[in-house]
Amino acid sequence: MQLDAEDFTALTVTEGEDRLHAQLNRPEVRNAIDSTMITELHAVCEHLEACPKILILSGTESGGKGIFASGADIGQLRQRRRDDALRGINSAAFDRLAKLPMPVIAALDGFALGGGAELAWAADFRVATDQVKIGQPETGLGIIPAAGALWRLKDLTGEAMAKEILFAGRILNADEALAHGLVSSLHAADELLGAAHELADRIGRQDPLAVQVSKRVFAMPREAHPHVDNLAQAILFESEAKFDRMQAFLDKKAKRAEQPTNNGTKES
């Protein structure tokens, strides 16, 4: 079943057999994250919760340059009050995205600031161009990054760098983001989406159930291990894919053993 995204205005969605590509598409405001985009992200999550697929998130061009997301829409953000903060408008959407059954890949170009950075932190993988600028300028605006950065960043990059980004408003360039583990690879702008799809291809070659179970177990607290690992493995040990994939491996190994080597003997 495909997502009906014809009425979307903030996201452009392309769906394939094993993945969905959601492009942030508000170039006139540098992809600022507004309530419409949040609503559409919830719709994407609802679809992928029911029909698990890999999600690729990317930005668009603004003024001839690539951009992921410049942050939350400041016009809307300035009008929000205490009750809006308690509703966790952005944090609820980003947390839901982080908990999707299959991995999420963020393809970052240009600015990924504020809420845009927090959207990226919620992804499982971040690939970027050498033009990326990423960070959390919220304290300069008299607020905090309340959509995940305050607790995700410490795990992603360590306490010292997290505090520089969060308390001192440090904006990292591409090389710094790579060095501190905030992105996994850098690419030319015209190769960025290709790199994201190549990563999705590698994930797609794995058993989908094993990937989903791995993602869930990975997110468990330390005290849940190793018990949760044993329970998860017990489920997978009974799956048809486990038997089929292991048999295919054994058949391939046996076939290789029957093939003669360069000296005319069979492989041992």
Side-chain angles (χ1 to χ4, degrees):
M1 183 176 67
Q2 295 234 325
L3 175 67
D4 183 7
E6 288 185 2
D7 295 330
F8 281 12
T9 60
L11 299 178
T12 301
V13 172
T14 306
E15 187 169 4
E17 185 177 344
D18 69 343
R19 71 198 62 176
L20 184 149
H21 176 201
Q23 180 186 29
L24 313 187
N25 194 19
R26 300 186 73 219
E28 69 282 0
V29 289
R30 300 195 300 177
N31 286 343
I33 298 169
D34 68 347
S35 58
T36 299
M37 187 179 290
I38 290 296
T39 297
E40 292 175 8
L41 283 172
H42 274 297
V44 167
C45 288
E46 182 178 9
H47 175 68
L48 294 178
E49 287 160 355
C51 306
K53 296 182 180 184
I54 301 161
L55 173 62
I56 296 174
L57 291 169
S58 73
T60 186
E61 284 193 0
S62 177
K65 295 182 178 180
I67 188 164
F68 182 67
S70 59
D73 188 303
I74 301 299
Q76 289 189 3
L77 201 59
R78 188 180 183 279
Q79 300 304 315
R80 291 180 185 173
R81 305 303 293 267
R82 176 188 59 200
D83 289 347
D84 296 309
L86 292 174
R87 284 168 53 208
I89 295 170
N90 287 8
S91 62
F94 297 172
D95 196 47
R96 188 175 186 182
L97 184 141
K99 292 175 179 175
L100 286 174
M102 290 292 284
V104 178
I105 302 167
L108 311 177
D109 191 12
F111 289 124
L113 300 175
E118 291 184 292
L119 177 57
W121 308 144
D124 297 288
F125 303 95
R126 285 162 296 281
V127 296
T129 72
D130 58 5
Q131 297 301 307
V132 76
K133 301 285 186 183
I134 193 164
Q136 303 291 161
E138 282 89 346
T139 52
L141 296 171
I143 59 173
I144 62 171
L150 281 169
W151 50 278
R152 285 197 174 100
L153 263 179
K154 183 165 61 175
D155 289 339
L156 289 171
T157 190
E159 186 172 312
M161 179 51 62
K163 286 180 176 178
E164 278 205 51
I165 295 169
L166 295 166
F167 306 162
R170 179 170 173 179
I171 306 300
L172 277 63
N173 64 28
D175 290 333
E176 291 168 332
L178 181 65
H180 290 282
L182 294 173
V183 300
S184 58
S185 58
L186 299 178
H187 308 271
D190 60 355
E191 297 174 355
L192 180 62
L193 272 181
H197 279 288
E198 183 179 345
L199 178 54
D201 289 341
R202 296 205 304 271
I203 296 168
R205 288 193 288 270
Q206 314 307 308
D207 172 47
L209 180 60
V211 173
Q212 291 179 50
V213 170
S214 294
K215 181 171 177 177
R216 291 194 180 197
V217 173
F218 187 88
M220 294 288 185
R222 175 62 185 89
E223 57 268 22
H225 303 281
H227 310 293
V228 68
D229 305 65
N230 297 337
L231 290 170
Q233 192 74 297
I235 293 170
L236 292 171
F237 270 11
E238 298 299 323
S239 74
E240 287 299 319
K242 174 248 188 178
F243 291 102
D244 293 344
R245 284 173 173 262
M246 288 190 176
Q247 189 60 53
F249 174 85
L250 293 172
D251 291 345
K252 187 176 180 180
K253 183 178 179 181
K255 187 175 181 180
R256 271 202 315 267
E258 291 297 319
Q259 293 175 346
T261 60
N262 290 337
N263 62 10
T265 63
K266 292 182 179 179
E267 292 184 12
S268 57

